[in-house]
Amino acid sequence: MKGTGDNVVTPQGNLSDEDFNPWLRVVDLIERAGSLLELDRGLIQRIVTPERVLEVAVPVRKDSGDIEVYTGWRIQHDTSRGPGKGGIRFHQSVNRDEIAALSADMSIKTAVVNIPYGGAKGGVKVDPTELSRSELERLTRRYAFDIAQFIGPDRDIPAPDINTDTQVMSWIMDTISMLRGHNSFGVVTGKPLAIGGTLGHAGATSVGVTICTLSTLRNLGEDPVGKRVVIQGYGKVGAPLVRLLTDRGMKVVGVADIKGAISVPGGIDPAILEQHFLDAHTVVGYPGADVVPAEKLFDIPSDVAIPAALGGVITEAVANSMAAKIVVEAANGPTTGEGSAVMKERNIIAVPDVLANSGGVVASYFEWAQDLQGFLWEPEVFARRLEQTMQSAFDHVWAKRLQWGVSFRDAAIAVGVERIAEATTLRGLFP
Ligand code: NAD
């Protein structure tokens, strides 16, 4: 185990790339927030250090009859404010540091939006594209069994993440329900509507991104109507965004997906793009669009840039040539440290991921609350509460940013850390 300075014990083992270790990035952010808040050193250590790091072997019988053993993790970073909350990802690059960093991000995210959860994350190091559907089900159920003692509606509530979806959540919920001997709908969120899911979950992240975009423009004295926006990614987050922002009078002038980027200076028509995507499975080829090299998407003249695809895409070079003066981080971790420094020099304001993309976890909270109540909310109730929660989180972080005189990112992290510190202090030290 390596430390991160002083006596902080971290979950990291073998670091392959010291230059980009997501865990060290999170530790640095939390420690900076701790200094800003003048927290006691021991308290910062408690907040940084994950509460529980569970590593499990996940043996799966393949269709061929052979047995393959995968490694999985569930890391509960902080539960001082409520049960752990965070997704499960299946990916060949998953490792303990990454899961630890994402679990800490979740502790901060749930605190920033002030919902009664802590932070957790899970994953299995596997390439799910190499599994048949029945192998995927066996892997999911075995992993669910392996972590069963540590999850539950009042302990830790997983959700979908990369390569996991409503079906995977259904299998996990069913496995835990079989083990417990009763239905346990509240053990995971992101489920289908028929078995404890909620209306409004899909698209909730995009609703939050929209609120952050409009609020940033308004707080800077700008009218959102007619403002130009470029979006990287046309998936679960990016696609609804094109429509939501257009409905609010903004002009989406550029969109990229994995196959390329398009520029439409007059503004994209969401309905035409949706139909084109259904037919072509890419945004490329949208009628009348100019094709742009993917790496030049953020150079398209625009007022707002929204990364909604991968992490680490706003590098020093990208930040140097970026046209927009506002970035709204829909993706997780889209800006590198160097990119961030350039953005600061160029006075580009970044609405950080822990605030901008937190609409999804708020929706998960609403799903869990409905499962516990056994009562499905009206769609309007869901939409109103989502909007209120996101707006009040945005307003609070904006006010703190001005009060503390720090970047939007530092303000958001500090708001989260301050709430975790308050809960930790009030609860005191056991025994
Ligand atoms: P998704 O898989 O549905 O869509 C990803 C999109 O990115 C696709 O359109 C894909 O073509 C595009 N893409 C991939 N590589 C690209 C590249 N090199 N250049 C341009 N585009 C590329 O994923 P999603 O759920 O929309 O998530 C997008 C981001 O938002 C991720 O960083 C995710 O962690 C984050 N996020 C998602 C949610 C959610 O509710 N889905 C919540 C919080 C954060």
Side-chain angles (χ1 to χ4, degrees):
M1 291 265 182
K2 286 191 174 197
T4 56
D6 295 6
N7 301 317
V8 178
V9 176
T10 82
Q12 56 207 36
N14 308 314
L15 294 187
S16 53
D17 181 358
E18 288 276 357
D19 291 329
F20 184 68
N21 182 284
W23 172 249
L24 296 182
R25 177 188 65 83
V26 171
V27 171
D28 182 54
L29 286 171
I30 296 178
E31 289 187 339
R32 277 213 326 250
S35 304
L36 174 70
L37 298 165
E38 298 179 354
L39 298 184
D40 174 77
R41 179 72 214 158
L43 183 54
I44 299 175
Q45 270 182 252
R46 280 195 69 196
I47 294 172
V48 166
T49 313
E51 284 175 16
R52 177 177 282 131
V53 179
L54 179 67
E55 182 171 303
V56 293
V58 189
V60 177
R61 190 174 301 280
K62 307 295 283 293
D63 295 341
S64 63
D66 294 341
I67 292 171
E68 189 85 48
V69 183
Y70 301 94
T71 306
W73 293 269
R74 185 70 190 172
I75 299 188
Q76 290 158 356
H77 174 260
D78 187 87
T79 58
S80 58
R81 302 182 62 262
K85 186 85 193 92
I88 288 172
R89 59 175 60 177
F90 291 166
H91 197 271
Q92 58 276 21
S93 73
V94 160
N95 62 63
R96 194 166 46 157
D97 281 355
E98 179 190 53
I99 299 295
L102 292 165
S103 72
D105 279 343
M106 288 307 300
S107 301
I108 292 167
K109 206 179 276 192
T110 56
V112 169
V113 285
N114 210 7
I115 54 178
Y117 282 147
K121 200 85 179 187
V124 179
K125 186 175 173 58
V126 59
D127 179 357
T129 61
E130 292 182 349
L131 301 182
S132 69
R133 187 180 161 86
S134 56
E135 288 168 344
L136 181 67
E137 179 172 355
R138 288 198 287 278
L139 173 100
T140 303
R141 288 186 181 275
R142 178 59 192 241
Y143 170 70
F145 175 85
D146 289 333
I147 65 170
Q149 290 175 59
F150 302 97
I151 62 172
D154 53 0
R155 284 190 156 184
D156 177 4
I157 306 128
D161 195 71
I162 294 172
N163 292 332
T164 57
D165 56 11
T166 53
Q167 178 61 75
V168 170
M169 293 306 113
S170 305
W171 288 328
I172 295 177
M173 186 275 288
D174 184 68
T175 303
I176 302 298
S177 297
M178 292 300 119
L179 279 169
R180 306 272 204 268
H182 58 82
N183 277 339
S184 185
F185 287 152
V187 70
V188 287
T189 57
K191 302 180 296 296
L193 192 56
I195 47 172
T198 182
L199 293 164
H201 200 293
T205 303
S206 315
V207 170
V209 174
T210 302
I211 290 169
C212 290
T213 306
L214 299 174
S215 302
T216 303
L217 283 163
R218 289 195 191 110
N219 285 6
L220 293 172
E222 310 266 359
D223 182 358
V225 174
K227 290 287 179 302
R228 298 156 305 168
V229 54
V230 292
I231 301 173
Q232 184 188 50
Y234 191 71
K236 291 185 286 294
V237 178
L241 262 180
V242 175
R243 182 173 278 282
L244 286 167
L245 295 173
T246 307
D247 285 352
R248 302 300 187 98
M250 295 185 73
K251 269 203 297 188
V252 179
V253 294
V255 175
D257 65 18
I258 196 162
K259 296 195 179 141
I262 55 168
S263 163
V264 184
I268 285 166
D269 181 321
I272 296 176
L273 184 56
E274 281 159 20
Q275 188 55 52
H276 170 74
F277 189 84
L278 276 178
D279 299 335
H281 308 293
T282 173
V283 298
V284 178
Y286 175 86
D290 300 324
V291 177
V292 181
E295 65 280 7
K296 297 282 180 206
L297 174 79
F298 294 124
D299 295 0
I300 294 173
S302 59
D303 304 291
V304 179
I306 305 185
L310 309 172
V313 290
I314 304 182
T315 57
E316 188 176 356
V318 170
N320 260 317
S321 62
M322 174 178 283
K325 285 292 182 191
I326 297 170
V327 171
V328 185
E329 295 185 341
N332 278 317
T335 311
T336 66
E338 294 79 14
S340 211
V342 172
M343 283 164 63
K344 195 171 170 196
E345 269 167 35
R346 296 192 55 216
N347 285 325
I348 300 173
I349 189 168
V351 187
D353 50 5
V354 286
L355 173 64
N357 70 28
S358 55
V361 75
V362 174
S364 276
Y365 165 48
F366 293 167
E367 178 178 334
W368 173 80
Q370 292 170 78
D371 287 336
L372 296 191
Q373 289 176 323
F375 182 73
L376 197 59
W377 304 351
E378 300 295 326
E380 309 78 55
V381 173
F382 183 100
R384 179 168 39 81
R385 289 181 176 164
L386 175 63
E387 189 169 337
Q388 279 168 352
T389 307
M390 289 305 302
Q391 191 65 57
S392 96
F394 180 93
D395 292 345
H396 185 68
V397 176
W398 185 276
K400 286 293 190 180
R401 168 180 167 258
L402 299 180
Q403 181 193 328
W404 287 327
V406 296
S407 71
F408 215 147
R409 187 180 318 280
D410 284 344
I413 307 280
V415 162
V417 169
E418 189 172 41
R419 291 195 173 124
I420 298 168
E422 185 190 7
T424 305
T425 306
L426 284 169
R427 291 178 65 144
L429 192 60
F430 179 84

